[in-house]
Amino acid sequence: MMKTTIPSPFILSCLLFLILCGLSSAQLSANFYSKSCPNALSIIKSGVISAIQAETRMGASLLRLHFHDCFVNGCDGSILLDDTPTFTGEQTSKANNNSIRGLNVIDNIKAKLESCCPGVVSCADIVAVAARDSTVVLGGPSWNVLLGRRDSTTASKSAADNNLPAPTLNLNQLISSFSKHGFSARELVALSGGHTIGKARCTTFRARIYNDTNIDPLFASALQAICPQSGGDNNLTPMDPTPTTFDNCYFRDLLKQKGLFHSDQALYNGGSTDSIVETYTFNPFIFAKDFADAMLKMSNLGPLTGTRGQIRKNCGKVN
Ligand code: HEM
Ligand SMILES: *[C@@H]1O[C@H](CO)[C@@H](O)[C@H](O)[C@H]1NC(C)=O
Ligand SMILES: *[C@@H]1O[C@H](CO)[C@@H](O)[C@H](O)[C@H]1NC(C)=O
């Protein structure tokens, strides 16, 4: 009896497949920095805590920064790249100009990380962890951020203009905007619950308080007092009655036609998402769970891994 020891072409191609998979399976993982920078997570957390101690609103700003990073070509730190005379990034896009905050907080955390573990922790990972830590500090749910995102070497203003939703959107437009990134209508509603913290400028809700009809009249007139028909563009109002606490008041207010943006009230305006808003109003734990799950999903959008991108030394510019 002859017994061949030569592996069959089938076995060989299986082996090759496994090897290639192994090489290209640069994936995010929870313990990515456990050997290369064991204090990374605690350094980020203390940076977030002290920033929120200095200004509570910063927790909201850091949550939004992560959203605006991830919806534009994935969570790759692209939003952090500053404009230069020869480069226009995302910071002056429609939704970000005069609006995004928290860049200094990320820079300060990055400086601490660079002194401990130079060239190891990406700016995109700092933003992702800071968003989670901010949510937790303000009383919201936690999620296990996976790590190992690398930083982009470019940014796109037009992608930011096209992907960051405007507060004038209606329900169909919101559903379509979020479905482009793989989110269901339920996830859209859960993520919109991020509007339970922070503040907004008059220019973002003026059209709603003067022209919308699905708005509580007393709520509208109170806002008109701080947001005139013209001028006062940067006057601020809280996103919900408890803007420093991550709770479900945002949804309770939608039931009372007190959504701040047209896009907020669109989630509860006789359409398909009404029942989800009601669920989150009456079951804060379901909201907390759905929000955490959707944030984890958002934080995994299109990361650069393996040898793609770089670990920026300074979050505001390419190495
Ligand atoms: C659903 C579509 C969304 C629209 C149309 C929208 C729009 C806006 C606008 C116009 C502002 C005020 C900005 C300013 O006044 O400068 C704002 C603030 C904010 N947004 Fe959204 N947003 C959306 C979804 C989200 C999501 C998914 C999150 C996070 C999970 C989020 C978190 C925040 C936070 C925390 C603030 C307050 C930021 C601060 O105080 O600095 N938003 N949003
Ligand atoms: C951004 O805001 C600044 C200051 O208000 C303004 O001068 C500039 O034109 C805006 N840029 C864009 C691209 O809208
Ligand atoms: C409200 O609608 C009217 C009529 O379309 C328009 O002229 C006005 O500029 C709008 N006001 C705001 C604040 O959007």
Side-chain angles (χ1 to χ4, degrees), residues 55-68 71 94-102 135 143 164-169 174 177-178 187-205 233-237 239 243 246 250 260-264 267 291 295 298:
E55 188 206 15
T56 320
R57 183 185 174 196
M58 193 51 72
S61 306
L62 290 170
L63 175 61
R64 185 168 187 241
L65 195 60
H66 184 41
F67 166 48
H68 283 204
F71 261 46
K94 282 182 226 153
N96 289 335
N97 199 27
N98 301 315
S99 184
I100 45 153
R101 308 173 76 248
T135 302
W143 57 96
L164 298 175
T168 49
L169 297 193
L174 289 165
S177 164
F178 276 64
E187 288 167 328
L188 157 70
V189 177
L191 289 170
S192 297
H195 287 176
T196 175
I197 51 174
K199 293 181 183 175
R201 292 168 307 140
C202 165
T203 181
T204 65
F205 56 85
D233 281 7
N234 296 324
N235 295 353
L236 291 171
T237 201
M239 303 280 292
F246 195 102
Y250 167 81
L260 183 59
F261 302 142
H262 182 85
S263 56
D264 292 323
L267 304 174
F291 183 81
M295 284 303 299
M298 179 194 288

Side-chain angles (χ1 to χ4, degrees), residues 28-153:
L28 302 180
S29 64
N31 57 2
F32 193 81
Y33 298 116
S34 59
K35 293 216 172 72
S36 56
C37 192
N39 295 330
L41 288 173
S42 64
I43 291 172
I44 299 171
K45 191 196 278 179
S46 47
V48 167
I49 289 174
S50 54
I52 293 177
Q53 270 164 1
E55 188 206 15
T56 320
R57 183 185 174 196
M58 193 51 72
S61 306
L62 290 170
L63 175 61
R64 185 168 187 241
L65 195 60
H66 184 41
F67 166 48
H68 283 204
D69 186 23
C70 296
F71 261 46
V72 184
N73 295 322
C75 314
D76 60 359
S78 56
I79 193 172
L80 307 174
L81 289 178
D82 298 324
D83 282 15
T84 71
T86 56
F87 171 80
T88 303
E90 296 165 15
Q91 294 174 10
T92 52
S93 65
K94 282 182 226 153
N96 289 335
N97 199 27
N98 301 315
S99 184
I100 45 153
R101 308 173 76 248
L103 301 171
N104 292 340
V105 175
I106 302 299
D107 285 344
N108 290 342
I109 293 172
K110 176 65 173 175
K112 293 209 178 73
L113 288 166
E114 284 300 295
S115 66
C116 281
C117 346
V120 170
V121 182
S122 70
C123 300
D125 275 350
I126 299 172
V127 173
V129 174
R132 188 270 315 274
D133 291 348
S134 294
T135 302
V136 172
V137 169
L138 298 181
S142 190
W143 57 96
N144 290 319
V145 179
L146 299 180
L147 302 165
R149 294 166 196 77
R150 292 165 63 85
D151 299 320
S152 71
T153 51

Side-chain angles (χ1 to χ4, degrees), residues 218-240:
L218 290 176
F219 178 68
S221 56
L223 287 169
Q224 287 164 5
I226 62 124
C227 181
Q229 293 259 19
S230 71
D233 281 7
N234 296 324
N235 295 353
L236 291 171
T237 201
M239 303 280 292
D240 86 349

